[in-house]
Amino acid sequence: MTEDSPNRRALITGVTGQDGSYLAELLLAKGYDVWGVVRRSSTMERPRIDHLHQPGADHSERFQLVYGDLGDASSLFRIVEEVQPDEVYNLAAQSHVQVSFDTPEYTADVTGMGVARLLEALRSLRPEARFYQASSSEMYGKVVETPQSETTRFHPRSPYAAAKVFAFELTRNYREAYGMYALNGILFNHESPRRGENFVTRKITRAAARIKLGLQDQLRLGNLDAKRDWGFAGDYVEGMWRMLQADVADDYVLATGETNTVRLFCEHAFARLGMPLTWEGSGDTERGLDAARRVVVAVDPRYYRPAEVDLLLGDPSRARDELGWVPEVGFQGLVEMMVDADLALAEADAGRSARP
Ligand code: NAP
Ligand code: G4F
């Protein structure tokens, strides 16, 4: 990466999340001044970004945090007025699909209406800013074609996905209605060692490592047959940035073009730890056994969703052809990266609990 964008101002909502932390690193390395929006919480620890704003950290003088919330329009207007950003990356959301069934109104408010609040703040105070909306492959839901591309019709299957469709359409509408540079990145699942622990990939790699070290007995999962197009978050934030550098705003899919089941992800994760799995049973009674025939993976119907997205597979050819974006990390490399990171964390935990 080069320091090629001096004095440009980027505003990132969701900076404390998986993608926000990688994007902040990328933009700082490119020479941007970066403002990250954070919510007040009862702890000052923000483990994904603490390394970026500690005194002495690389670029820390160009990284600032501001308090705000997508549920609070006044905070967004204040931030836009204060920062006068050139580029805005809206990554903030209630981003968990299962949780959105439990909190549909909250999810609609933050993940959907939050985008209306932010776009209105930009339209009023900084209409020339370039706006990136974190749209999602979940919008395809009950897919009408495979692979899914920028022209595939949406069929959302959760309150989260419905909120993301609203936000997608609003972003396109502000582009058409007001001529604003506003676009959607339709990103398929992307993961990393910084992934939240209750998304399936991280839940698997964390549990596998802890089972390996005897810190946990079993991993309990829902639908093992679900298929996802999983990539590496570090590759995807590069794609976000490339989208906002294009001369004309348009919507782009980012995906690997490969899909795999949750079951296969488990197999690769445990294999990386020298624990090959064999499967027995089916449906609710399916289980994964290690070489000693211990049940290390079990199905738990509590993790089934009221409506499932069975298959996601993206066609990233527009991003490749128009933006030159090609993901570098493949499925196997992603699983290994996550397992290795979680093994190191589990070893540290084991060391702490062994100490007198
Ligand atoms: P994440 O790790 O869950 O991060 C979500 C971020 O949003 C956190 O920084 C969170 O802050 C913030 N946030 C939540 N509610 C907020 C509110 N009311 N006001 C302000 N900030 C709020 O998500 P991610 O995986 O990085 O994903 C980033 C974005 O891409 C999300 O919009 C997600 O829906 C979308 N997306 C993700 C994927 C994927 O596979 N990762 C794929 C497609 C689209 P706290 O730290 O304070 O909770
Ligand atoms: O890891 P997941 O929770 O991710 P999901 O639902 O695909 O959503 C993620 O990707 C979207 C992009 O398509 C983002 F927009 C969204 O913000 C989020 O980042 O679940 C993946 C699959 C599902 O089919 C789920 O039913 O794994 C299945 N699964 C099976 N057992 C499980 C579990 N998911 C979770 N979270 N926990 C389980 O125990």
Side-chain angles (χ1 to χ4, degrees):
M1 279 178 295
T2 54
E3 302 226 345
D4 51 6
S5 303
N7 305 122
R8 286 187 70 75
R9 295 168 162 236
L11 178 67
I12 303 174
T13 71
V15 74
T16 54
Q18 171 189 255
D19 292 5
S21 64
Y22 284 110
L23 182 64
E25 285 173 2
L26 178 81
L27 296 180
L28 288 167
K30 287 184 179 296
Y32 283 74
D33 292 333
V34 176
W35 277 260
V37 179
V38 294
R39 300 191 284 177
R40 191 265 161 184
S41 86
S42 62
T43 159
M44 292 299 285
E45 284 176 24
R46 300 184 182 102
R48 297 186 181 101
I49 57 166
D50 276 345
H51 63 289
L52 291 176
H53 65 99
Q54 302 298 357
D58 281 357
H59 318 309
S60 65
E61 73 291 352
R62 285 190 280 107
F63 185 54
Q64 297 184 55
L65 300 181
V66 284
Y67 280 108
D69 196 303
L70 281 201
D72 178 355
S74 66
S75 69
L76 302 177
F77 274 74
R78 176 183 47 75
I79 290 166
V80 170
E81 174 78 50
E82 184 184 319
V83 175
Q84 294 290 313
D86 299 302
E87 296 176 14
V88 178
Y89 296 84
N90 181 40
L91 310 185
Q94 191 302 93
S95 73
H96 201 282
V97 173
Q98 177 93 57
V99 171
S100 79
F101 287 102
D102 300 326
T103 60
E105 188 180 338
Y106 174 76
T107 302
D109 188 49
V110 171
T111 305
M113 278 301 293
V115 180
R117 296 183 185 106
L118 187 49
L119 281 169
E120 270 303 288
L122 291 172
R123 186 171 79 87
S124 303
L125 299 168
R126 190 68 174 165
E128 65 272 42
R130 296 186 168 204
F131 177 77
Y132 173 91
Q133 165 58 17
S135 287
S136 166
S137 52
E138 277 292 308
M139 300 187 301
Y140 298 120
K142 191 171 165 56
V143 300
V144 297
E145 64 180 2
T146 296
Q148 297 89 44
S149 73
E150 292 83 358
T151 57
T152 303
R153 189 161 48 78
F154 301 140
H155 183 145
R157 295 273 279 173
S158 63
Y160 167 80
K164 283 288 185 186
V165 171
F166 171 76
F168 175 96
E169 296 295 357
L170 203 68
T171 298
R172 190 157 61 179
N173 177 253
Y174 272 57
R175 183 166 79 220
E176 293 174 358
Y178 305 118
M180 287 169 62
Y181 189 110
L183 59 77
N184 292 280
I186 309 172
L187 271 53
F188 284 64
N189 298 51
H190 45 279
E191 319 292 316
S192 74
R194 298 183 195 171
R195 186 57 142 150
E197 291 168 2
N198 59 353
F199 294 94
V200 76
T201 54
R202 185 77 199 288
K203 183 173 170 181
I204 294 168
T205 58
R206 183 170 183 274
R210 294 177 71 80
I211 291 169
K212 172 76 181 175
L213 296 187
L215 296 171
Q216 181 174 334
D217 295 329
Q218 202 175 72
L219 163 64
R220 301 183 75 78
L221 292 172
N223 180 10
L224 299 176
D225 292 317
K227 295 180 99 172
R228 289 291 183 276
D229 179 330
W230 280 299
F232 170 51
D235 288 338
Y236 286 52
V237 298
E238 167 77 24
M240 295 175 190
W241 175 77
R242 286 184 185 228
M243 284 181 215
L244 281 201
Q245 311 315 306
D247 290 339
V248 178
D250 205 346
D251 306 319
Y252 291 92
V253 160
L254 298 185
T256 68
E258 179 184 332
T259 191
N260 290 291
T261 61
V262 171
R263 186 184 293 98
L264 191 68
F265 195 104
C266 280
E267 287 175 21
H268 281 272
F270 280 88
R272 176 70 174 173
L273 295 161
M275 301 175 71
L277 291 179
T278 51
W279 298 97
E280 284 185 355
S282 63
D284 294 0
T285 61
E286 185 167 358
R287 53 207 175 270
L289 291 84
D290 68 5
R293 296 196 57 73
R294 288 182 308 167
V295 178
V296 288
V297 184
V299 169
D300 187 335
R302 281 182 306 168
Y303 296 111
Y304 291 160
R305 293 180 178 176
E308 177 61 285
V309 172
D310 296 319
L311 161 72
L312 292 175
L313 173 61
D315 172 4
S317 41
R318 179 186 285 177
R320 185 194 58 219
D321 297 348
E322 295 182 15
L323 306 175
W325 180 81
V326 179
E328 285 179 10
V329 179
F331 178 67
Q332 180 75 25
L334 176 67
V335 178
E336 290 176 1
M337 176 201 301
M338 293 178 70
V339 169
D340 293 354
D342 273 323
L343 184 61
L345 289 176
E347 283 168 348
D349 276 357
R352 266 192 295 275
S353 54
R355 243 173 267 142

Coordinates of all heavy atoms in Angstrom, one line a residue, residues 96-99 101 138 157-158 198-200 222-223 228 301-309:
H96 N -26.2 -9.0 13.1 CA -26.3 -10.5 13.3 C -27.7 -10.9 12.8 O -28.7 -10.4 13.3 CB -26.1 -10.9 14.7 CG -25.8 -12.3 14.9 ND1 -26.7 -13.3 14.9 CD2 -24.6 -13.0 15.1 CE1 -26.2 -14.5 15.0 NE2 -24.9 -14.3 15.1
V97 N -27.8 -11.8 11.9 CA -29.1 -12.3 11.3 C -30.0 -12.9 12.3 O -31.2 -12.5 12.4 CB -28.8 -13.2 10.1 CG1 -30.1 -13.8 9.6 CG2 -28.0 -12.5 9.0
Q98 N -29.5 -13.8 13.1 CA -30.3 -14.5 14.1 C -30.8 -13.5 15.1 O -32.0 -13.5 15.4 CB -29.5 -15.6 14.8 CG -30.2 -16.3 15.9 CD -30.9 -17.6 15.4 OE1 -30.3 -18.5 14.9 NE2 -32.2 -17.7 15.6
V99 N -30.0 -12.6 15.5 CA -30.4 -11.6 16.5 C -31.5 -10.7 16.0 O -32.4 -10.2 16.7 CB -29.2 -10.8 17.0 CG1 -29.6 -9.6 17.9 CG2 -28.2 -11.7 17.8
F101 N -34.0 -11.5 14.3 CA -35.3 -12.1 14.5 C -35.8 -11.8 16.0 O -37.0 -11.7 16.2 CB -35.3 -13.6 14.3 CG -35.2 -14.0 12.9 CD1 -34.0 -14.5 12.4 CD2 -36.3 -14.0 12.1 CE1 -33.9 -14.8 11.0 CE2 -36.2 -14.4 10.7 CZ -35.0 -14.8 10.2
E138 N -27.0 -11.2 2.1 CA -28.2 -11.7 2.7 C -29.5 -11.2 2.0 O -30.5 -11.8 2.1 CB -28.3 -11.2 4.2 CG -27.5 -12.1 5.1 CD -28.1 -13.5 5.3 OE1 -29.3 -13.6 5.6 OE2 -27.3 -14.5 5.2
R157 N -34.8 -12.7 3.8 CA -35.3 -13.8 4.6 C -35.2 -13.5 6.1 O -35.4 -14.4 7.0 CB -34.5 -15.1 4.3 CG -34.7 -15.6 2.9 CD -35.9 -16.5 2.8 NE -35.6 -17.9 3.3 CZ -36.6 -18.8 3.4 NH1 -37.8 -18.5 3.1 NH2 -36.2 -20.0 3.8
S158 N -34.9 -12.3 6.5 CA -34.8 -11.9 7.9 C -35.0 -10.4 8.1 O -34.9 -9.7 7.1 CB -33.4 -12.2 8.4 OG -32.4 -11.5 7.7
N198 N -19.9 -14.9 17.7 CA -21.1 -15.6 17.5 C -21.5 -15.7 16.0 O -22.7 -16.0 15.7 CB -22.3 -15.0 18.3 CG -22.5 -13.6 18.0 OD1 -21.8 -12.9 17.2 ND2 -23.6 -13.0 18.6
F199 N -20.6 -15.4 15.1 CA -20.8 -15.8 13.7 C -20.2 -17.2 13.5 O -19.3 -17.6 14.2 CB -20.2 -14.8 12.8 CG -20.8 -13.4 12.8 CD1 -20.3 -12.4 13.7 CD2 -22.0 -13.1 12.1 CE1 -21.0 -11.2 13.8 CE2 -22.6 -11.9 12.2 CZ -22.1 -10.9 13.1
V200 N -20.7 -17.9 12.5 CA -20.5 -19.4 12.6 C -19.0 -19.7 12.4 O -18.5 -20.6 13.0 CB -21.4 -20.1 11.6 CG1 -20.9 -20.0 10.1 CG2 -21.5 -21.6 12.0
G222 N -26.1 -25.0 14.5 CA -27.4 -25.2 13.9 C -27.3 -25.9 12.6 O -26.9 -27.1 12.5
N223 N -27.7 -25.2 11.5 CA -27.8 -25.9 10.2 C -26.4 -26.1 9.5 O -25.7 -25.2 9.1 CB -28.6 -24.9 9.3 CG -28.8 -25.4 7.9 OD1 -28.4 -26.6 7.6 ND2 -29.3 -24.6 7.0
R228 N -22.1 -21.0 2.2 CA -21.7 -19.6 2.1 C -20.5 -19.4 1.2 O -19.6 -20.3 1.1 CB -21.4 -19.0 3.5 CG -22.7 -18.9 4.4 CD -23.6 -17.8 3.9 NE -24.7 -17.6 4.8 CZ -25.9 -18.3 4.7 NH1 -26.0 -19.2 3.8 NH2 -26.9 -18.0 5.5
P301 N -30.8 -27.6 17.7 CA -31.9 -26.9 16.9 C -32.1 -25.5 17.4 O -32.8 -24.7 16.7 CB -33.1 -27.8 17.1 CG -32.6 -29.2 17.5 CD -31.3 -28.9 18.2
R302 N -31.7 -25.2 18.6 CA -31.8 -23.8 19.1 C -31.2 -22.8 18.1 O -31.5 -21.6 18.1 CB -31.2 -23.6 20.5 CG -32.1 -24.1 21.6 CD -31.4 -23.8 22.9 NE -30.1 -24.4 22.9 CZ -29.1 -24.1 23.9 NH1 -29.5 -23.3 24.8 NH2 -27.9 -24.6 23.8
Y303 N -30.2 -23.3 17.3 CA -29.5 -22.4 16.4 C -30.1 -22.4 15.0 O -29.5 -21.7 14.1 CB -28.0 -22.7 16.4 CG -27.3 -22.5 17.7 CD1 -26.9 -23.6 18.4 CD2 -27.1 -21.2 18.2 CE1 -26.2 -23.4 19.7 CE2 -26.5 -21.1 19.5 CZ -26.1 -22.1 20.2 OH -25.5 -22.0 21.4
Y304 N -31.2 -23.1 14.8 CA -31.9 -23.0 13.5 C -32.5 -21.7 13.4 O -33.0 -21.1 14.4 CB -32.9 -24.1 13.4 CG -32.4 -25.5 13.2 CD1 -33.3 -26.6 13.5 CD2 -31.1 -25.8 12.8 CE1 -32.9 -27.9 13.4 CE2 -30.7 -27.1 12.7 CZ -31.6 -28.2 13.0 OH -31.2 -29.5 12.8
R305 N -32.7 -21.2 12.2 CA -33.3 -19.9 12.0 C -34.8 -20.0 11.6 O -35.1 -21.0 10.9 CB -32.5 -19.1 11.0 CG -31.2 -18.7 11.6 CD -30.3 -17.9 10.7 NE -29.0 -17.7 11.5 CZ -28.0 -17.1 11.1 NH1 -27.9 -16.7 9.8 NH2 -26.9 -16.9 11.8
P306 N -35.6 -19.1 11.9 CA -37.0 -19.2 11.5 C -37.1 -19.3 10.0 O -38.1 -19.9 9.4 CB -37.6 -17.9 12.0 CG -36.8 -17.4 13.1 CD -35.4 -17.9 12.8
A307 N -36.2 -18.6 9.2 CA -36.2 -18.7 7.8 C -34.7 -18.7 7.4 O -34.0 -17.8 7.9 CB -36.9 -17.6 7.1
E308 N -34.2 -19.7 6.7 CA -32.8 -19.9 6.4 C -32.5 -19.4 5.0 O -33.3 -19.4 4.1 CB -32.4 -21.4 6.6 CG -31.0 -21.7 6.3 CD -30.0 -21.0 7.2 OE1 -29.7 -19.8 7.0 OE2 -29.4 -21.7 8.1
V309 N -31.2 -18.9 4.9 CA -30.7 -18.7 3.6 C -29.8 -19.9 3.2 O -28.7 -20.1 3.9 CB -29.8 -17.3 3.6 CG1 -29.1 -17.2 2.3 CG2 -30.8 -16.2 3.9

